[in-house]
Amino acid sequence: MTDWDQHAADWDERAAVQTYAVSAFRSLTSLAEATDFNLAGCSAFDFGCGTGLLTEHLASVCAHIDAFDTSPAMRDVLSAKIDRHQWRHVRLLDQLPPAPQRYDLIVCSSVLSFVDHYPTMVDRLLRHLAVGGLFVQWDWELDPSDDQSHGFTREEVRRTLAEAGLASVAVGVAFEVTVDGSTMSPLIGSGRRPRPDS
Ligand SMILES: C[S@@+](CC[C@H](N)C(=O)[O-])C[C@H]1O[C@@H](n2cnc3c(N)ncnc32)[C@H](O)[C@@H]1O
């Protein structure tokens, strides 16, 4: 199991994670445009925020962001950024939000393959998604024929999001970028919380 605290201090110095965050945010804005989801002024929950590389991009468009990560050292890095930027609209949580809290957008960037049980965590997170809200996850694509491969298959993501009750579920390659000679092509999975009568 990864000790994420150990990675916090130099996480932001890695070119690959910086590029990943920029590319993930671009893929989010493309998805929002394509599906008529208004990112501007939305409320967001950044689950598994790490040092806040994606949070930083969200902070430029969202009206309010709650961010949570289980690693105190990762949270400390984001906390320093919040202070430095004087972001009053970004709140760092040290646990999952309380039950009544609902968001227009929930993002999970490269975290769901690390939780104990993926479908249970998706169910738990979706309690916080407003009706009409958008859920988005980015993860490595699992190659079942490769023992060293990590992540999810497209079918696993599609099934999990659909069984959790999301509508308009879509799964595909989020982006493809090459950093230091290695190419990243993670999956993006998304869905909307349907209106009760739809
Ligand atoms: C690969 S990093 C991604 C961080 C950030 N989302 C990014 O894109 O830079 C994975 C993060 O997931 C966090 N994490 C792992 N298990 C978690 C859990 N059960 N709940 C919340 N965060 C978790 C780790 O602490 C770590 O910061």
Side-chain angles (χ1 to χ4, degrees):
M1 204 162 74
T2 310
D3 178 0
W4 291 104
D5 280 344
Q6 288 192 351
H7 296 289
D10 62 358
W11 187 255
D12 287 10
E13 288 161 27
R14 301 176 190 202
V17 297
Q18 291 277 1
T19 304
Y20 188 105
V22 171
S23 306
F25 183 66
R26 280 200 194 120
S27 65
L28 175 63
T29 55
S30 300
L31 174 68
E33 275 170 30
T35 59
D36 259 340
F37 178 83
N38 197 3
L39 273 180
C42 77
S43 63
F45 180 46
D46 186 352
F47 174 71
C49 58
T51 59
L53 289 176
L54 181 58
T55 326
E56 291 179 56
H57 294 285
L58 295 172
S60 64
V61 290
C62 299
H64 176 84
I65 304 162
D66 279 348
F68 167 70
D69 196 284
T70 43
S71 159
M74 289 281 194
R75 291 202 306 266
D76 285 350
V77 176
L78 176 52
S79 177
K81 289 179 188 174
I82 292 171
D83 290 347
R84 194 165 63 246
H85 293 291
Q86 297 190 316
W87 282 328
R88 301 198 197 296
H89 65 309
V90 182
R91 182 172 63 159
L92 194 51
L93 307 180
D94 58 8
Q95 56 187 4
L96 285 170
Q101 186 74 52
R102 291 276 171 101
Y103 304 93
D104 304 314
L105 172 69
I106 296 179
V107 293
C108 309
S109 172
S110 196
V111 55
L112 285 172
S113 62
F114 301 108
V115 304
D116 286 343
H117 191 251
Y118 167 46
T120 303
M121 185 53 81
V122 170
D123 284 342
R124 175 76 178 79
L125 291 170
L126 291 184
R127 289 185 213 160
H128 301 290
L129 189 62
V131 168
L134 175 66
F135 176 91
V136 188
Q137 67 176 89
W138 294 262
D139 289 283
W140 300 118
E141 182 165 17
L142 181 74
D143 175 357
S145 68
D146 177 359
D147 285 352
Q148 305 300 314
S149 174
H150 173 85
F152 301 119
T153 63
R154 296 180 196 208
E155 181 47 31
E156 189 175 7
V157 175
R158 196 185 323 279
R159 191 181 58 243
T160 301
L161 301 191
E163 286 181 356
L166 289 175
S168 307
V169 170
V171 184
V173 174
F175 54 83
E176 188 163 294
V177 286
T178 300
V179 182
D180 297 334
S182 93
T183 299
M184 302 187 280
S185 47
L187 293 180
I188 181 170
S190 63
R192 299 287 283 266
R193 185 183 181 112
R195 301 190 185 281
D197 54 355
S198 63

